């Protein structure tokens, strides 16, 4: 149960007793490999030590796993949440309730079997979090509700106390009624159609193939003779047929991996606005519940990967301060209209995600093309050097050069079309991306400085890179290859007065504020 507020020394509580089952199982799992290695080594050397070593190797991890429950206590006072842990070196972590920025819940499969959840409390200070690893699920939800509710009360009580006239009776103000939760989005299984067009899980598939290849030579059914026989069998068929079969098999494998990964990650997805925060819950085996305080949300980022644009899909993330990494994905791959609607609800403004952006002109298009063509030429030069030393047909180099240059031109044009900027309802909007189309929207109130950079080539054609620095998200929003006068004017309109000393002159060097 949640510890009641009390004076120092009172109200301390332990974590759930079921943690005594959780940590020993985790400790045994972590110690399994060294235990097996030790047992094999002992069995090969001398069996006399077996009765002594076996209890130590088994009971040791169990006792070590029980220590966190024995040495961890927590309590909730009127103004703070406090967590005390440690056996020899005592450590006490405290967080004022008015500094609580997020309360995230997570439960692995083992947590869920035991009816437990892990609570992570963020204060927005250097990504440090107070963690309670094992609370009963009901207590974890009650603690999150209590912390977020008291944070709101603390924020209201401070200005209310300052407004009391001298000599007035100190009666606590009645807490405002909590608004009803608002559901912003929930899982729609028709969105599964977007899973195969998201390449985020391709890394996992490549990693699995790499692991299999590492151990493939050690498999008893795979050796050089087997590989030769398989190759001879394959070459009996037409190469085109083999290519079709391999492509169909790869596509089927990708469909299984992408769809199953989507289901596992986004099962029971729900995005709710409640207690002045955005609450996201999802997960099949490991459930997670993430809280993002809306007062700390400074913008959103909508990403449309190249394949997902074909089917009209998009992803949405929030840019906030005081949360881990600053970027929180709040929507799975879903229809673009859904991403735009939820993004506008979060921003409380309509237009920044859909309005047309100001183009950056022919010089910016030329730089976008040149950037991609230079990469293609680098690859062609490497291929030409290889041809010189390896003496294979130069037709391969010529074909590679043609293909790469055509692709580079197409990618360069696409990256230019993604460029753009706008200033809409107090929001700076920046378009970017090479293959994926990314639109970043940042509140101008969240901008803490500007950086105007010009390379030697940019100075010759009058372009510059404008960077808005912020404490949210990636800590920077880049407007690439915009005319210098447009960049300075845009920064001055977004934050009036901040660049006033620099607007009257055209800087020859980078301007940093």
């Amino acid at each position: 149960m949640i510890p009641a507020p009390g004076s120092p020394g009172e109200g301390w509580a332990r974590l759930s007793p079921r943690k005594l089952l959780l940590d020993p199982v985790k400790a045994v799992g972590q110690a399994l490999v060294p235990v097996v290695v030790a047992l094999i080594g002992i069995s090969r050397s001398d069996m006399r030590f077996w009765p002594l070593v076996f209890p130590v190797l088994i009971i040791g991890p169990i006792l070590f796993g029980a220590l966190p429950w024995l040495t961890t206590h927590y309590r909730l006072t009127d103004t703070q949440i406090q967590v005390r842990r440690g056996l020899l070196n005592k450590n006490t972590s405290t967080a004022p309730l008015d500094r609580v920025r997020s309360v995230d819940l997570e439960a692995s499969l083992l947590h869920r079997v035991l009816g437990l959840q892990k609570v992570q409390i963020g204060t927005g200070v250097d990504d440090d979090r107070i963690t309670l690893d094992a609370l009963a699920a009901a207590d974890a939800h009650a603690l999150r509700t209590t912390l977020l509710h008291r944070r709101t009360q603390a924020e209201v009580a401070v200005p209310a106390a300052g407004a009391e006239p001298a000599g007035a009776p100190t009666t606590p103000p009645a807490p405002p009624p909590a608004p009803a939760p608002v559901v912003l989005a929930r899982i729609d299984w028709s969105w599964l159609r977007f899973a195969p067009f998201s390449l985020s899980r391709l890394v996992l598939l490549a990693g699995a193939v790499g692991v299999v290849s590492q151990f493939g030579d050690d498999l008893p059914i795979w050796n050089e003779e087997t590989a030769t026989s398989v190759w001879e069998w394959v070459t009996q068929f037409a190469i085109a047929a083999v290519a079709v079969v391999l492509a169909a098999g790869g596509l089927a494998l990708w469909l299984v991996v992408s769809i199953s990964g989507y289901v596992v990650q986004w099962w029971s997805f729900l995005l709710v606005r409640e207690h002045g925060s955005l609450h996201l819950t999802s997960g099949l085996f490991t459930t997670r519940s993430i809280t993002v305080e809306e007062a700390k949300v400074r913008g959103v980022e909508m990403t449309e990967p190249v394949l997902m644009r074909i089917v009209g899909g998009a992803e949405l993330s929030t840019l906030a301060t005081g949360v881990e990494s600053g970027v929180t994905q709040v929507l799975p791959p879903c229809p673009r209209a859904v991403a735009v609607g939820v993004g506008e609800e979060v921003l409380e403004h309509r237009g920044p995600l859909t309005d047309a952006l100001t183009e950056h002109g022919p010089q910016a298009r030329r730089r976008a093309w040149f950037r991609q063509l230079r990469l293609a030429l680098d690859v062609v030069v490497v291929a030409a050097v290889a041809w010189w030393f390896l003496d294979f047909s130069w037709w391969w180099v010529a074909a590679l050069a043609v293909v790469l240059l055509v692709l580079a031109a197409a990618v360069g044009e696409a990256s230019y079309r993604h460029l753009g900027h706008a200033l809409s309802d107090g929001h700076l909007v920046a378009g970017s991306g090479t293959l994926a189309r990314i639109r970043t929207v940042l509140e101008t109130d969240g901008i803490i400085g500007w950086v105007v950079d010009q390379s030697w080539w940019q100075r010759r054609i009058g372009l510059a890179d404008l960077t808005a620095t912020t404490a949210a998200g990636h800590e920077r929003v880049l407007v690439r290859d915009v005319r210098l006068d447009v960049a300075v004017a845009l920064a001055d309109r977004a934050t009036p007065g901040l660049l006033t000393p620099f607007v009257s002159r055209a800087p020859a060097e980078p301007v940093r504020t």
Side-chain angles (χ1 to χ4, degrees), residues 1 14-22 69 116 134-136:
M1 58 181 296
R14 296 184 187 273
L15 303 176
S16 172
R18 281 169 279 179
K19 185 175 175 65
L20 289 172
L21 297 175
L22 177 69
W69 182 82
L116 301 175
L135 289 181

Side-chain angles (χ1 to χ4, degrees), residues 292-497:
V292 181
E293 186 185 7
E294 284 197 279
K296 298 300 179 182
V297 175
R298 293 301 187 186
V300 298
E301 184 174 85
M302 186 173 69
T303 303
E304 300 173 77
V306 58
L307 293 181
M308 205 178 297
R309 286 206 310 274
I310 300 175
V311 291
E315 300 171 352
L316 185 74
S317 301
T318 59
L319 310 179
T321 60
V323 297
E324 190 174 2
S325 80
V327 180
T328 303
Q329 185 176 353
V330 294
L331 281 181
C334 62
R336 185 178 185 274
V338 175
V340 170
V342 174
E344 290 178 344
E345 288 289 339
V346 173
L347 294 173
E348 297 182 347
H349 287 281
R350 301 193 179 277
L353 290 173
T354 55
D355 289 345
L357 302 180
T358 301
E359 297 183 358
H360 288 184
Q363 290 90 350
R365 173 183 270 116
R366 191 187 317 155
R367 277 185 57 81
W369 278 57
F370 177 76
R371 191 178 296 112
Q372 302 302 323
L373 291 173
R374 184 180 59 188
L375 295 176
L377 289 175
D378 290 342
V379 177
V380 172
V381 169
V382 172
V385 172
W387 165 77
W388 178 267
F389 286 100
L390 300 179
D391 195 25
F392 53 83
S393 176
W394 64 271
W395 282 102
W396 289 103
V397 179
L400 178 65
V402 171
V403 171
L404 288 180
L405 291 177
V406 171
L407 287 177
V411 173
E413 179 64 20
S415 63
Y416 168 73
R417 290 180 179 274
H418 297 163
L419 282 181
H421 68 272
L423 195 61
S424 172
D425 293 327
H427 293 83
L428 173 67
V429 186
S432 62
T434 303
L435 295 177
R437 181 164 58 200
I438 303 173
R439 179 172 289 209
T440 305
V441 182
L442 177 67
E443 292 180 357
T444 54
D445 290 341
I447 298 174
I448 58 178
W450 295 95
V451 178
V452 182
D453 281 326
Q454 284 185 292
S455 66
W456 184 82
W457 290 103
Q458 285 176 318
R459 285 200 300 270
R460 288 180 59 86
I461 57 178
L463 297 183
D465 290 340
L466 176 66
T467 303
T469 59
T470 177
H474 304 291
E475 299 184 352
R476 60 195 297 268
V477 174
L478 175 63
V479 181
R480 184 189 294 274
D481 289 335
V482 64
R483 285 205 336 258
L484 178 60
D485 58 330
V486 174
V488 176
L490 175 64
D492 186 56
R493 286 190 294 118
T495 55

